[in-house]
Amino acid sequence: MATPNGAKTPSNMGPKVLFYSMLLTLQYGSQPLISKRCIGREVIVTSSVLTCEIVKVVCALVLMARDGSLKGLSKEWTLMGSLTASGLPAAIYALQNSLLQISYRSLDSLTFSILNQTKIFFTAFFTFMILRQKQSIQQIGALCLLIMAAVLLSIGEGSSKTSSGINPDQVLFSGIIPVLAASVLSGLASSLCQWASQVKKHSSYLMTVEMSIVGSLCLLISTLKSPDGEAIKRYGFFHGWTALTWVPVISNALGGILVGLVTSHAGGVRKGFVIVSALLVTALLQFAFEGKPPSSYCLVALPLVISSISMYQKYPHLDKKKKKKV
């Protein structure tokens, strides 16, 4: 099935996409905990983001060489096509990654992961605006449940951090607001990537390379007059890095490639399957390694998130005209 503008509506996931989704589930679920444990507070955010993009480019080029698509790249690739498909999403993702790095440091792993799930709502919104993929009444209800969960978590996270002696303003402005802003940007960028892969037929690996390069250039330009830029000049690019810092950087890079594959084959909104599983992985890892049970607000919000995403996947929009023909 295709939308009016030529974008395909993803159907059931095949074995390969299911495998990609399982790997992405593990990466999504473990990334907040790994980043919190392996990236010290003295590490400059821009240095970790730029390094992640470089690693992503190298991995994508290796995969392109392996599947043979790298050979014909010189004949097919054009600058205008690259900028159209990857330029804007790249700039958006670069900003999103920086916001996520900031929020990691002010929120606990499970709360971060659940708040991060509001990206599904924004992905659905931008998918409709860009690809004209409509939502059923049940899906709209599911998205409302998701927003309710986000509000609960915002209230609960502020109160839990206050009781532990941390400034609630810091939690709000350095944790909650950045991760919600990143979710909006993620929804927009994901929809643009789906449009490029399904309508413009851009390969996911090539998009990964292009977006990483463009995003890195945008980040470098913005760093020139930023506090991170001054910190890099004063202390060096790898200030505060250890061998363990490479673990979340490489993990995040591989996750970026998997996101491209899943988005290309299954669609941005249908990453909800991955996200539900990632929430459970995060909760399990946080309890196992930190011995910290989720707060009461998280316990209320978690089933809301799971129910909303499950409902969204179960009741897709059906075209009435096509339904009558059948």
Side-chain angles (χ1 to χ4, degrees):
M1 185 183 295
T3 56
N5 64 359
K8 293 181 180 179
T9 302
S11 55
N12 294 331
M13 294 186 292
K16 183 181 292 186
V17 180
L18 185 61
F19 175 68
Y20 294 151
S21 299
M22 290 175 64
L23 290 179
L24 187 56
T25 297
L26 294 175
Q27 190 274 326
Y28 262 178
S30 61
Q31 189 66 38
L33 193 66
I34 293 174
S35 295
K36 204 170 183 180
R37 283 176 167 254
C38 298
I39 299 180
R41 288 186 173 272
E42 65 275 10
V43 172
I44 303 170
V45 172
T46 300
S47 69
S48 63
V49 174
L50 281 174
T51 305
C52 175
E53 297 302 320
I54 294 171
V55 173
K56 203 183 298 182
V57 168
V58 172
C59 292
L61 288 175
V62 169
L63 291 170
M64 288 178 69
R66 184 179 179 183
D67 66 14
S69 60
L70 192 60
K71 293 180 180 178
L73 188 60
S74 58
K75 298 179 181 178
E76 300 175 1
W77 187 88
T78 62
L79 178 60
M80 186 57 65
S82 173
L83 291 175
T84 302
S86 306
L88 183 57
I92 293 172
Y93 272 130
L95 178 57
Q96 180 217 359
N97 284 334
S98 295
L99 289 171
L100 289 178
Q101 293 293 332
I102 293 170
S103 62
Y104 278 149
R105 303 179 181 186
S106 299
L107 298 174
D108 69 80
S109 301
L110 182 58
T111 303
F112 169 87
S113 288
I114 301 180
L115 279 175
N116 198 29
Q117 308 325 315
T118 56
K119 68 178 69 174
I120 298 177
F121 170 83
F122 299 110
T123 301
F125 173 75
F126 288 115
T127 298
F128 170 72
M129 296 299 293
I130 297 171
L131 299 172
R132 310 311 295 176
Q133 291 183 358
K134 298 179 180 179
Q135 315 298 324
S136 67
I137 295 176
Q138 293 91 336
Q139 287 178 322
I140 294 173
L143 296 174
C144 290
L145 285 178
L146 193 62
I147 296 302
M148 288 171 58
V151 172
L152 275 175
L153 285 162
S154 298
I155 298 171
E157 181 61 11
S159 63
S160 65
K161 290 291 184 179
T162 302
S163 62
S164 62
I166 298 178
N167 188 347
D169 289 338
Q170 179 183 345
V171 174
L172 177 63
F173 293 107
S174 297
I176 294 172
I177 290 179
V179 73
L180 289 177
S183 294
V184 175
L185 295 175
S186 175
L188 175 58
S190 179
S191 299
L192 290 172
C193 289
Q194 187 176 339
W195 170 80
S197 63
Q198 294 181 358
V199 178
K200 293 296 182 180
K201 307 301 181 185
H202 230 54
S203 81
S204 61
Y205 294 145
L206 180 57
M207 282 189 66
T208 297
V209 173
E210 293 171 341
M211 290 172 60
S212 294
I213 292 174
V214 175
S216 297
L217 291 175
C218 292
L219 189 58
L220 282 172
I221 293 171
S222 66
T223 302
L224 295 177
K225 295 184 179 180
S226 70
D228 275 11
E230 294 299 323
I232 290 173
K233 291 177 183 178
R234 180 177 297 182
Y235 303 111
F237 187 82
F238 291 105
H239 173 70
W241 280 59
T242 64
L244 286 177
T245 309
W246 286 95
V247 176
V249 168
I250 294 174
S251 171
N252 205 18
L254 294 176
I257 293 175
L258 289 170
V259 165
L261 291 169
V262 173
T263 301
S264 177
H265 290 89
V269 179
R270 292 186 183 259
K271 285 188 298 182
F273 286 116
V274 171
I275 292 169
V276 171
S277 302
L279 288 174
L280 300 177
V281 171
T282 300
L284 178 63
L285 291 176
Q286 182 171 279
F287 181 71
F289 291 98
E290 297 181 352
K292 181 181 178 183
S295 67
S296 58
Y297 287 96
C298 283
L299 291 175
V300 174
L302 186 57
L304 282 178
V305 174
I306 294 175
S307 299
S308 66
I309 299 175
S310 299
M311 187 188 303
Y312 189 93
Q313 299 291 346
K314 190 175 181 180
Y315 300 101
H317 176 268
L318 297 176
D319 193 320
K320 292 182 179 180
K321 293 180 180 179
K322 292 185 177 181
K323 192 176 180 181
K324 287 180 181 179
K325 290 180 179 180
V326 176

